Amino acid sequence: MPKGQVVVQVGYGRHGGQAKTGGSTQGQTTAQFVANKSQYAEGRGEGEHNTLYLEGGEALEGWREASDTVMEAADRVQGESERERAYVVDVMISSGDERIDHEDMHAVAASYAEGMRERGYQVEGFSYTIHDNGDHTHLHAMYASDKTPQKAD
């Protein structure tokens, strides 16, 4: 597989805070950001391409379960003090310009989550979907973490 692209968009803050993003998500609460991204992920394909999954590949019931999974994880990650923030991370991982088998994309999702943990990030409530819309296979993933990803990661 040729080297794909990883595009990371991050919404973060304490539960109920504002998502720190640009474009159409600017000014949304983190909860709105997660709900909207979950709805988008579920509604952008046909058939199995609308399925949302947990990190282990288990299918979720739909966008509300995916949204709840991420927000509940953010509640667990967020501590009591102002220094213990939960960050909600929205990631799109693209295969570049080709179609990739969905089994391979499930492996990409698992590899991304594990790679972030190896780099010292807490990854909780990881959920994702695989899309074939457009000219390439890609996945959308969201999770809660204890810090924001850096470009080098």
Side-chain angles (χ1 to χ4, degrees):
M1 173 168 77
K3 185 175 176 121
Q5 305 164 2
V6 177
V7 178
V8 178
Q9 181 179 17
V10 180
Y12 63 91
R14 294 184 69 77
H15 181 65
Q18 298 261 323
K20 305 294 185 191
T21 63
S24 63
T25 59
Q26 186 66 39
Q28 292 181 351
T29 67
T30 304
Q32 289 168 324
F33 173 80
V34 171
N36 289 340
K37 287 296 187 173
S38 297
Q39 286 175 312
Y40 172 85
E42 182 181 52
R44 294 292 294 184
E46 296 179 11
E48 73 175 281
H49 310 297
N50 287 27
T51 304
L52 291 151
Y53 301 95
L54 289 174
E55 184 174 350
E58 176 187 341
L60 294 167
E61 293 295 318
W63 74 265
R64 288 184 200 279
E65 186 176 7
S67 179
D68 289 348
T69 297
V70 173
M71 291 307 293
E72 289 167 8
D75 286 341
R76 289 190 306 272
V77 170
Q78 178 176 290
E80 295 297 319
S81 79
E82 212 32 59
R83 296 175 55 105
E84 297 175 296
R85 291 192 173 205
Y87 296 84
V88 175
V89 181
D90 173 46
V91 181
M92 189 205 40
I93 301 173
S94 170
S95 64
D97 60 357
E98 67 177 282
R99 299 282 183 212
I100 303 294
D101 180 81
H102 281 219
E103 290 304 313
D104 290 339
M105 290 303 283
H106 284 289
V108 167
S111 177
Y112 172 84
E114 185 57 34
M116 292 305 285
R117 287 186 185 106
E118 288 173 0
R119 289 174 177 81
Y121 292 88
Q122 190 172 353
V123 177
E124 302 290 334
F126 189 89
S127 64
Y128 67 96
T129 189
I130 301 167
H131 288 165
D132 286 317
N133 62 323
D135 58 358
H136 59 281
T137 306
H138 59 280
L139 66 85
H140 297 271
M142 268 197 305
Y143 60 93
S145 185
D146 56 340
K147 54 188 175 181
T148 60
Q150 303 301 306
K151 285 185 180 186
D153 293 325

